[in-house]
Amino acid sequence: MSTPHEIVVLGGNFAGIGLVHYLFKITIPSLQKLDPAKTFHITLVTPNTDLFFKIGSPRALINDKQIPESKILRPLSEGLSKYKPEQLTLAQALATSLDASKRTVTITPVGSETTKDLPYDSLFIATGTTSASPLWTFHPDPSLTSTALKALHTSLPTAKTVLIAGGGAVGIETAGEIAHFYPSAKITLLSGAAQLLPNSPPVLGPRAQSYLETHAKVEVIHNLRVEASDLSATGATVTLSDGSTKTTDLYIDATGGKANTGFLKADWLDGTKRVLTRDAYFRVKGNGSDDVEGVYVLGDVTAGSANTAMVLDAQTPTVASAFAVDFARKAIGVEAGEKKNPGLLGGLVGLVFGKKAAAPSLVEFKPMKDTMLVPVGPGGGVGLIMGWRFPSFLVAKVKGKNFLLELVDPLLTGDKWKA
Ligand SMILES: Cc1cc2nc3c(=O)[nH]c(=O)nc-3n(C[C@H](O)[C@H](O)[C@H](O)COP(=O)(O)OP(=O)(O)OC[C@H]3O[C@@H](n4cnc5c(N)ncnc54)[C@H](O)[C@@H]3O)c2cc1C
């Protein structure tokens, strides 16, 4: 057996976990059919030990009964313990720098100041974004997500005023949930733009606003942003973009996140600090002089990302195909799509599996476009499926009922990928 090919995956949530399963279930077996002597080891570097199904957060923040925390924070071990130590190592750490010339990532284990250099043969960057509030993404201390959910469970029942900043899907869903479950609270939603859902087809935002305003105590305000917030034990005071201040019992920041790329050189990144790609298969572009062979990116941290989990259904097979093609060319000596003389061992594998070994091919990236579901409370909401309007009652049925919790298990276990 050869020395294992070391694959390092940075970031262990939607993109990273999905990728690890995809590599073990589909990509690695296909490469081993081509050359059974090749072995692989994956190191998953991530600070969290749970999968965070953040899609459920707007309902889970209401109380611990609607969606118990244990349904959206699930131990990674439930999905990863099936892999042996010689296949997978979980490093509970943050990537803190990268040396492309040495092909190493420096990682800092959670709770430690001692760093460690991790060599890689192939590297996948899936570090996502960090939102101001840990309600929507993990923070470097992942336990803050649970703390933030619990804090709202305590404070929401007595809050008379709630201010939410952010007119995207997360802000709308959160306002809709609070309006439904705490109808006596006065809710102010600041879109921060000229309308809700400013980056979506223009009909959706006003429609979402009219659903929100069926609740007498919801007010939606446009073109006003929160510039600063001062939190205290009894509430918050926010400074707004028109210079005024506002006090509120509860302030929820639902504005977007910042890309987790502080460990990369600035010239690998676009204007939003997301990782630039050099082709449609998510190979990292780099800066023209650094060695970026075998370096790939996926998930929200990708330049131009749609910032959805759904896009990963298409992006994961595509980026894995780029890795497979690059590995087959470099380590096995076959070009994409080429048939390989299987040799004695490969021939036996072919006999057993009844298949000829073929070199991998690139998989085109074909995400489902113009699709989004934004519940406004459990009873309805706005949505588009491939650009077509999705009726409110179907938004409620598909997402509003349980916030897509049925997707957690297949993601966590890898069952979503069919070999
Ligand atoms: C409330 C809400 C509702 C949503 N609803 C939908 C929906 O209905 N449909 C949909 O398709 N999408 C939805 N999304 C978007 C979807 O959740 C994201 O697109 C998805 O989580 C992106 O996955 P990711 O793995 O790229 O990033 P993340 O899920 O953010 O994961 C990034 C991981 O990287 C880790 N990390 C960070 N920095 C480092 C580092 N330096 N080193 C190592 N690891 C690091 C983090 O701890 C985390 O584990 C929603 C998002 C939110 C917040």
Side-chain angles (χ1 to χ4, degrees), residues 192-413:
Q195 66 161 77
L196 295 178
L197 297 171
N199 303 322
S200 305
V203 292
L204 284 191
R207 194 172 291 136
Q209 180 167 343
S210 67
Y211 286 134
L212 280 171
E213 287 171 347
T214 58
H215 298 277
K217 296 196 122 192
V218 175
E219 183 184 16
V220 180
I221 301 175
H222 299 299
N223 297 316
L224 202 54
R225 304 174 79 87
V226 172
E227 299 287 351
S229 58
D230 188 9
L231 307 185
S232 71
T234 53
T237 303
V238 295
T239 306
L240 302 174
S241 47
D242 63 358
S244 65
T245 57
K246 200 170 169 61
T247 56
T248 176
D249 291 345
L250 259 180
Y251 169 56
I252 299 176
D253 186 324
T255 55
K258 294 196 171 100
N260 295 320
T261 48
F263 60 97
L264 295 173
K265 284 186 186 170
D267 53 11
W268 286 31
L269 312 175
D270 73 359
T272 70
K273 303 209 162 138
R274 284 172 170 77
V275 182
L276 290 163
T277 53
R278 69 169 189 272
D279 62 18
Y281 305 98
F282 304 103
R283 295 177 173 111
V284 166
K285 186 173 180 191
N287 54 12
S289 50
D290 284 338
D291 174 10
V292 286
E293 197 184 321
V295 183
Y296 313 88
V297 63
L298 71 162
D300 284 7
V301 77
T302 313
S305 164
N307 296 321
T308 66
M310 196 177 51
V311 86
L312 291 163
D313 293 348
Q315 194 183 21
T316 307
T318 296
V319 73
S321 79
F323 157 71
V325 163
D326 295 345
F327 179 87
R329 181 186 300 128
K330 196 168 172 213
I332 308 180
V334 290
E335 293 298 324
E338 198 180 295
K339 292 262 186 295
K340 181 183 184 284
N341 180 343
L344 184 58
L345 198 48
L348 283 174
V349 171
L351 279 177
V352 172
F353 291 100
K355 280 187 187 158
K356 275 191 180 165
S361 301
L362 288 169
V363 173
E364 297 301 320
F365 177 54
K366 290 187 188 149
M368 204 156 134
K369 292 213 166 115
D370 299 324
T371 299
M372 65 187 306
L373 298 178
V374 184
V376 184
V382 297
L384 286 180
I385 298 283
M386 301 215 288
W388 295 90
R389 188 185 155 197
F390 210 52
S392 176
F393 78 94
L394 281 178
V395 175
K397 197 170 159 56
V398 176
K399 186 171 174 188
K401 201 170 150 212
N402 72 350
F403 277 75
L404 306 176
L405 283 182
E406 69 279 5
L407 301 182
V408 180
D409 274 338
L411 171 65
L412 184 59
T413 60

Side-chain angles (χ1 to χ4, degrees), residues 9-17 45-48 50 52-58 93-96 126-131 135-140 142 169-170 173-174 260-263 298-301 305-312 371 373 375 399 403-404:
V9 177
L10 304 178
N13 209 37
F14 281 76
I17 295 301
V45 178
T46 200
N48 45 296
D50 290 332
F52 177 21
F53 190 77
K54 54 176 85 166
I55 293 172
S57 273
L94 281 165
T96 40
T127 46
T129 59
T130 298
S131 52
L135 291 167
W136 322 123
T137 67
F138 278 131
H139 278 206
V170 179
E173 290 179 10
T174 303
N260 295 320
T261 48
F263 60 97
L298 71 162
D300 284 7
V301 77
S305 164
N307 296 321
T308 66
M310 196 177 51
V311 86
L312 291 163
T371 299
L373 298 178
K399 186 171 174 188
F403 277 75
L404 306 176

